[in-house]
Amino acid sequence: KIVEQLGVSRTPVREAVRRLAGDGLIVFTPNKSAEVITVDAKFKRDLGTVRITTDCLSAVLAMQNGSNADFEALRVLSGQCIEAQLAGDIHSRIRFDSAFHMKLVEISGNTLLVEIQKNLYVKSQFAQTHTLVKKKETDLCDVRQHEEIIDALFARDAGRVLAAIKKHLVTFYEIEDTGVLLPDDLFREVAR
């Protein structure tokens, strides 16, 4: 059906489906078909739990390894994200939000964490797009909270940066009790 709708050959469609499967967005059922994953409350909470944890680790490492110039680069991405949201360009807002968080993990200097985050952000962008389509929501999270994260990074304040990351992500991922999710003392210990 996709080949007919797009007017392309089977090869690029197969490759796209394989890539989506590799990203964990499509699941193959033996002898049946390929199905897009379900974005339900459990999926979002599971993804959010991992995202908050890895974003907090990224931020603590970025605080240790990053420079003020790195944090200024985050401010530029934050501004682009806010502009896209104000313009009602939600798809650009999602893209800039992911770019902001990817830049944060890149500043951390941990290459394994970068690879983990890339996989998570594909799923996160998918979940955000799914939420837009299903719920017609236009404000997925408060992107102005990026500024709180940046200010905490500049201040090299681990407690503030952890609180800002969690505050930024808990609403979209429908996670209520963030105190249970993260051993804040552990991340503060890493920051020392």
Side-chain angles (χ1 to χ4, degrees):
K1 289 181 182 180
I2 295 172
V3 167
E4 291 173 14
Q5 287 176 350
L6 297 178
V8 297
S9 69
R10 290 176 175 252
T11 302
V13 173
R14 279 191 192 122
E15 183 56 36
V17 169
R18 279 192 204 115
R19 186 171 173 193
L20 291 169
D23 288 337
L25 300 178
I26 290 182
V27 177
F28 287 105
T29 307
N31 300 322
K32 289 189 179 179
S33 62
E35 293 182 15
V36 176
I37 62 169
T38 302
V39 177
D40 57 12
K42 181 181 180 339
F43 175 84
K44 284 175 68 173
R45 278 192 310 275
D46 288 350
L47 178 60
T49 300
V50 177
R51 273 285 316 272
I52 290 170
T53 304
T54 55
D55 277 30
C56 282
L57 179 58
S58 297
V60 168
L61 293 173
M63 191 176 55
Q64 292 174 344
N65 301 323
S67 67
N68 287 351
D70 291 326
F71 303 152
E72 282 299 333
L74 285 173
R75 200 173 300 281
V76 169
L77 289 169
S78 176
Q80 292 171 321
C81 194
I82 291 168
E83 286 176 20
Q85 184 164 328
L86 292 174
D89 185 353
I90 300 305
H91 295 289
S92 291
R93 189 211 96 16
I94 291 170
R95 190 176 73 251
F96 287 126
D97 181 57
S98 289
F100 174 88
H101 289 276
M102 276 308 301
K103 181 66 176 172
L104 182 64
V105 72
E106 288 167 6
I107 295 168
S108 80
N110 186 310
T111 55
L112 182 57
L113 193 54
V114 169
E115 288 305 311
I116 291 168
Q117 291 287 70
K118 283 180 184 176
N119 182 269
L120 290 174
Y121 291 144
V122 168
K123 289 175 178 61
S124 183
Q125 288 177 334
F126 181 76
Q128 290 179 49
T129 303
H130 179 271
T131 300
L132 286 172
V133 171
K134 292 291 183 188
K135 295 184 178 179
K136 306 292 185 209
E137 292 180 18
T138 57
D139 190 18
L140 299 169
C141 64
D142 189 351
V143 293
R144 293 169 299 186
Q145 291 170 343
H146 289 163
E147 295 300 316
E148 293 176 37
I149 296 167
I150 295 164
D151 291 343
L153 289 167
F154 271 113
R156 305 298 198 273
D157 185 333
R160 273 180 58 201
V161 78
L162 293 173
I165 292 277
K166 290 190 290 185
K167 179 181 173 186
H168 177 56
L169 296 175
V170 293
T171 303
F172 174 73
Y173 290 108
E174 301 172 9
I175 298 172
E176 295 174 16
D177 186 4
T178 61
V180 175
L181 292 175
L182 291 174
D184 288 351
D185 293 336
L186 174 66
F187 282 108
R188 284 191 187 94
E189 206 48 48
V190 170
R192 289 184 187 158

